[in-house]
Amino acid sequence: MNYQHNFSLKNYNTFGIEASAQSFIEVTNEQELAQVLKENQNIFVLGGGSNMLLTQNINQLVVHVNLKGIEIVQEDADFVWVKGNAGENWHEFVQWCITKDLGGIEIVAKLWKLRLKK
C-alpha cells in the first residue's frame, strides 16, 4: 500500500475544485481495507467522488475504496442477486446487468438520473 501526502483530490471531486488530503491511500482489496481500518481511526472514506463537492482540504487520512468486481451471488426462478463491490462505477454496473439480460436495474438507473436533473 502506498500512502501519499498532500494529495490532490481534484479528480475525485465532481466539480473539479482543488482540495487536498493530508494523507491519501487507495485500497483495492478487502485485506488492504481491513489493515487500513485497523491501523487508523481518523479517516475520511471516499468512493468514486461522483457526488462529492469538496470545498476545502481534508486534514485526515482519505481512504479511496476502489474494490472491483461484479458477480451473481444467487438466483432462483424469479430473482437474481448481484453483488457489485464499492469501487464499481454505477453506470458500468448497470451496463453489466443489461448485458447479462438481468432486467430491472436500468429502470432504477433512469429514475436516479431523472431525480438528479430536477
Side-chain angles (χ1 to χ4, degrees), residues 2-99:
N2 183 23
Y3 286 87
Q4 300 177 56
H5 302 284
N6 299 316
F7 184 85
S8 173
L9 297 171
K10 186 174 183 177
N11 293 333
Y12 300 91
N13 193 339
T14 300
F15 295 98
I17 297 170
E18 188 58 57
S20 64
Q22 180 180 22
S23 298
F24 178 91
I25 190 163
E26 179 179 81
V27 295
T28 58
N29 62 60
E30 291 178 23
Q31 294 76 21
E32 289 177 346
L33 180 58
Q35 182 179 345
V36 169
L37 294 175
K38 182 179 178 182
E39 295 174 356
N40 300 277
Q41 296 202 350
N42 187 21
I43 65 169
F44 181 95
V45 177
L46 179 65
S50 64
N51 60 351
M52 297 294 294
L53 175 57
L54 302 172
T55 60
Q56 57 188 345
N57 295 339
I58 299 176
N59 294 319
Q60 52 194 127
L61 173 62
V62 172
V63 179
H64 177 232
V65 180
N66 195 19
L67 281 66
K68 298 293 187 184
I70 304 171
E71 66 178 309
I72 295 172
V73 293
Q74 181 180 342
E75 58 184 300
D76 62 25
D78 299 313
F79 297 100
V80 176
W81 288 262
V82 178
K83 173 185 171 185
N85 285 335
E88 288 296 337
N89 175 280
W90 173 251
H91 178 73
E92 292 170 14
F93 177 74
V94 171
Q95 293 301 313
W96 184 92
C97 291
I98 291 169
T99 64

